[in-house]
């Protein structure tokens, strides 16, 4: 700790900052090392394979089975003293492959790498990969500006953390809390680093093929207004240049009901084409959305809304909800799936689950989830949930209608005391069935621990 502080003080002197001004920069600094052991098994059921399912030589070509150890080093500085404070955050990540054999180009392979790790030129998984970023920050009053590496959690942009290492974005963002009960946010994103990649890439959406068009301009802005202690209203706008414009409105409310409480969660997205995506010539040049579902043109034109209600009583929580996607095109947000090593994205929908997100054109999804906190029976730190989602009325461009369903189980336990206090153990199990996509049984086993360094 003392050596770290000395090093930071030397750096401050180099930058011309006084020891007094630098005091809060050092004193409020924090550093931690998160270690995450991750096993991923995605057993697909109806894809091209080698041999018959009854054959002893049967091999499921598209199944993914990978195991890795991740390390995430986070440093967060304080701010220098004064009317305007300056600071610097940094993150470094390393992923080490423990297992994940096979080559995606091998004809008789029994699994396909690439879910947790980038691939080598021979299409085998790399032994390890890394990525890093820094964020310069400035604070004035209750407003903070950040430029560099960002991992936002906003309705129109959510960093994905569903694999060994999280997704990162590069750009700038301003957050202001100058007005009581109102948080305003605005910014621009220029690049993304995928969860299984070391590469900084341009931005795109689902439907873009490898080598097609992309964008380096994603603008966003909006706010969260806490109307009362139990009611929050949201509005956000986003624009991925030459692909889409998106408006979001949300409403959240908590109501005390006897010994329990009822939470209402309402969300609405209106998404339309922007620039080149709005013309046939632009879409032919690669500025296109998914053409398998909807009207088949690749033009973004979508309304998506959802309503969910969660009743919580002591250790029990029951959620029921419904979501509807309009029929012209799929729901879209930033998705690097067509860019090497960058597949995987999160969307701000309650149907964004383990194996599927239920965002296809025309899809109508009914969903429910039951969660139990075992602290109520003397086992604090242990939680479990089961969820079921059923999507119908999916519109294919060829006129067919599809349907799908998913069943998920999640169990998490965090040690509450002892030498390993804070160690997290997690299991995720999902089953996806239907005729809109590949059937799959998915398992994830996660062991995580964060070690404070300063």
């Amino acid at each position: 700790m003392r050596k770290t502080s000395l090093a930071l003080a030397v750096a401050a002197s180099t930058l011309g900052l006084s020891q007094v001004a630098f005091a809060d920069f050092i004193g409020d600094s924090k550093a931690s090392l998160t270690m995450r052991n991750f096993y991923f098994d995605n057993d697909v059921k109806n894809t091209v394979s080698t041999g018959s399912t009854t054959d002893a030589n049967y091999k499921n070509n598209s199944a993914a089975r990978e195991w890795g150890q991740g390390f995430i080093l986070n440093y967060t500085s304080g701010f220098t003293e004064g009317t305007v404070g300056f600071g610097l955050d940094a993150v470094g990540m390393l992923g080490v492959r423990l297992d994940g054999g096979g080559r995606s180009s091998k004809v008789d392979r029994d699994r396909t790498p690439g879910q947790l790790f980038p691939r080598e030129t021979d299409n085998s998984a790399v032994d390890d990969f890394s990525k890093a970023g820094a964020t310069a920050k400035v604070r004035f009053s209750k407003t903070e500006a950040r430029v560099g590496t960002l991992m936002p959690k906003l309705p129109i942009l959510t960093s994905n953390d569903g694999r060994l290492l999280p997704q990162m974005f590069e750009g700038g963002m301003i957050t202001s809390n100058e007005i009581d009960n109102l948080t305003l946010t605005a910014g621009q994103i220029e690049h993304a680093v995928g969860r299984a990649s070391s590469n900084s890439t341009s931005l795109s959406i689902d439907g873009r093929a490898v080598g097609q068009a992309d964008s380096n301009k994603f603008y966003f802005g909006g706010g969260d207004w806490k109307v009362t202690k139990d009611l929050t209203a949201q509005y956000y706008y986003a624009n991925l240049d030459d692909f889409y414009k998106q408006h979001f409105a949300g409403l959240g409310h908590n109501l005390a009901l006897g010994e329990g409480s009822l939470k209402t969660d309402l969300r609405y997205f209106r998404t339309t084409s922007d620039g080149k995506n709005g013309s046939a010539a632009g879409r032919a040049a690669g500025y296109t959305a998914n053409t398998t579902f909807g009207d088949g043109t690749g033009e973004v034109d979508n309304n998506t809304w959802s309503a969910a209600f969660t009743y919580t009583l002591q250790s029990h929580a029951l959620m029921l909800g419904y979501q509807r996607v309009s029929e012209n095109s799929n729901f879209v947000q930033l998705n690097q799936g067509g860019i090497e090593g960058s597949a995987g994205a999160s969307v701000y929908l309650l149907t964004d689950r383990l194996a599927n997100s239920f965002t296809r054109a025309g899809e109508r999804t009914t969903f429910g989830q039951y969660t139990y906190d075992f602290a109520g029976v003397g086992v604090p730190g242990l939680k479990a949930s089961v969820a079921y989602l059923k999507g119908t009325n999916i519109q294919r461009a060829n006129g067919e209608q599809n349907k799908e369903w998913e069943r998920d189980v999640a169990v998490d336990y965090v040690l509450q005391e002892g030498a390993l206090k804070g160690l997290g153990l997690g299991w995720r199990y999902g089953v996806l069935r239907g005729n809109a996509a590949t059937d799959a049984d998915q398992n994830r086993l996660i062991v995580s621990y964060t070690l404070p360094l300063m």
Side-chain angles (χ1 to χ4, degrees):
M1 175 67 182
R2 292 179 63 186
K3 291 182 179 179
T4 303
S5 297
L6 177 60
L8 290 172
V10 171
S13 299
T14 303
L15 293 174
L17 299 174
S18 70
Q19 293 292 326
V20 174
F22 202 63
D24 287 349
F25 185 102
I26 298 174
D28 293 337
S29 291
K30 296 179 181 179
S32 65
L33 176 64
T34 296
M35 294 162 280
R36 176 186 295 174
N37 190 280
F38 200 114
Y39 174 74
F40 181 85
D41 185 327
N42 192 54
D43 186 11
V44 294
K45 299 297 182 181
N46 52 357
T47 61
V48 177
S49 55
T50 300
S52 167
T53 55
T54 59
D55 191 330
N57 295 320
Y58 169 73
K59 295 180 180 179
N60 192 339
N61 287 10
S62 298
R65 297 180 182 89
E66 293 184 294
W67 181 28
Q69 176 65 50
F71 301 90
I72 305 172
L73 179 63
N74 270 302
Y75 168 74
T76 303
S77 81
F79 288 91
T80 59
E81 292 182 354
T83 303
V84 179
F86 298 88
L88 180 68
D89 297 345
V91 61
M93 305 183 191
L94 172 66
V96 179
R97 179 168 62 87
L98 302 178
D99 185 37
R103 299 194 313 272
S104 61
S105 57
K106 188 178 180 181
V107 175
D108 62 343
R109 65 187 183 277
D110 60 0
R111 53 182 169 171
T112 295
Q115 287 291 326
L116 298 187
F117 304 95
R119 292 197 290 261
E120 299 278 14
T121 54
D122 66 353
N123 287 312
S124 63
V126 301
D127 292 333
D128 57 72
F129 74 108
S130 61
K131 48 189 170 182
T135 309
K137 55 187 183 181
V138 180
R139 184 181 65 189
F140 174 76
S141 184
K142 297 180 181 180
T143 298
E144 182 178 322
R146 304 172 63 85
V147 178
T149 296
L150 304 172
M151 286 183 273
K153 299 291 184 183
L154 299 171
I156 41 73
L157 181 64
T158 301
S159 173
N160 182 280
D161 194 18
R163 293 293 188 270
L164 185 64
L165 300 178
Q167 179 187 35
M168 304 190 305
F169 294 99
E170 297 169 358
M173 182 168 70
I174 297 175
T175 304
S176 177
N177 291 286
E178 300 293 342
I179 302 174
D180 290 345
N181 301 315
L182 178 64
T183 299
L184 298 175
T185 304
Q188 177 180 337
I189 299 296
E190 297 181 343
H191 297 91
V193 182
R195 58 192 186 185
S197 177
S198 299
N199 301 327
S200 175
T201 68
S202 298
L203 310 171
S204 191
I205 61 175
D206 177 46
R208 172 211 187 269
V210 175
Q212 287 188 332
D214 47 34
S215 176
N216 292 115
K217 295 179 181 179
F218 178 78
Y219 307 99
F220 62 93
D224 298 71
W225 177 30
K226 196 169 183 60
V227 184
T228 68
K229 67 181 183 65
D230 295 315
L231 178 64
T232 300
Q234 297 176 292
Y235 171 78
Y236 282 85
Y237 171 79
N239 173 207
L240 178 59
D241 191 44
D242 279 326
F243 281 99
Y244 71 86
K245 297 175 182 177
Q246 186 168 81
H247 298 267
F248 166 80
L251 200 64
H253 183 259
N254 288 298
L255 175 66
L257 285 178
E259 296 182 359
S261 64
L262 178 66
K263 178 182 178 181
T264 300
D265 189 334
L266 306 179
R267 306 181 186 186
Y268 172 74
F269 290 89
R270 173 58 176 152
T271 315
T272 56
S273 63
D274 179 71
K276 295 178 181 178
N277 178 258
S279 69
R283 294 192 295 275
Y287 295 90
T288 180
N290 186 293
T291 57
T292 302
F293 299 93
D295 60 18
T297 65
E299 181 175 359
V300 177
D301 181 11
N302 181 266
N303 290 284
T304 295
W305 64 267
S306 67
F309 305 91
T310 303
Y311 181 67
T312 301
L313 178 63
Q314 297 176 349
S315 298
H316 307 271
L318 178 64
M319 178 180 69
L320 297 174
Y322 180 78
Q323 177 175 286
R324 186 162 181 167
V325 182
S326 62
E327 298 182 354
N328 286 344
S329 71
N330 290 357
F331 173 82
V332 300
Q333 285 191 334
L334 284 185
N335 191 315
Q336 305 302 96
I339 299 177
E340 176 271 327
S342 300
S346 293
V347 293
Y348 188 69
L349 297 172
L350 293 170
T351 56
D352 189 10
R353 294 291 170 151
L354 200 68
N356 196 22
S357 58
F358 295 85
T359 55
R360 306 183 199 280
E363 192 156 16
R364 302 172 184 178
T365 305
T366 303
F367 56 95
Q369 176 173 300
Y370 171 72
T371 303
Y372 184 75
D373 187 342
F374 286 82
V377 291
V379 190
L382 178 61
K383 295 182 180 181
S385 66
V386 292
Y388 180 79
L389 303 91
K390 182 177 181 180
T392 61
N393 198 56
I394 299 170
Q395 303 296 316
R396 281 188 176 269
N398 62 7
E400 294 179 1
Q401 282 195 357
N402 294 157
K403 57 185 179 180
E404 56 193 357
W405 60 265
E406 180 173 344
R407 181 176 62 243
D408 295 338
V409 177
V411 180
D412 293 285
Y413 179 62
V414 179
L415 274 66
Q416 302 295 296
E417 56 186 7
L420 294 178
K421 180 180 179 180
L423 179 71
L425 307 172
W427 173 52
R428 305 284 184 273
Y429 174 63
V431 176
L432 175 65
R433 295 291 185 271
N435 56 3
T438 303
D439 291 348
D441 293 347
Q442 188 175 123
N443 277 280
R444 305 180 192 181
L445 297 174
I446 308 160
V447 181
S448 61
Y449 182 73
T450 297
L451 176 67
L453 300 178
M454 61 179 294

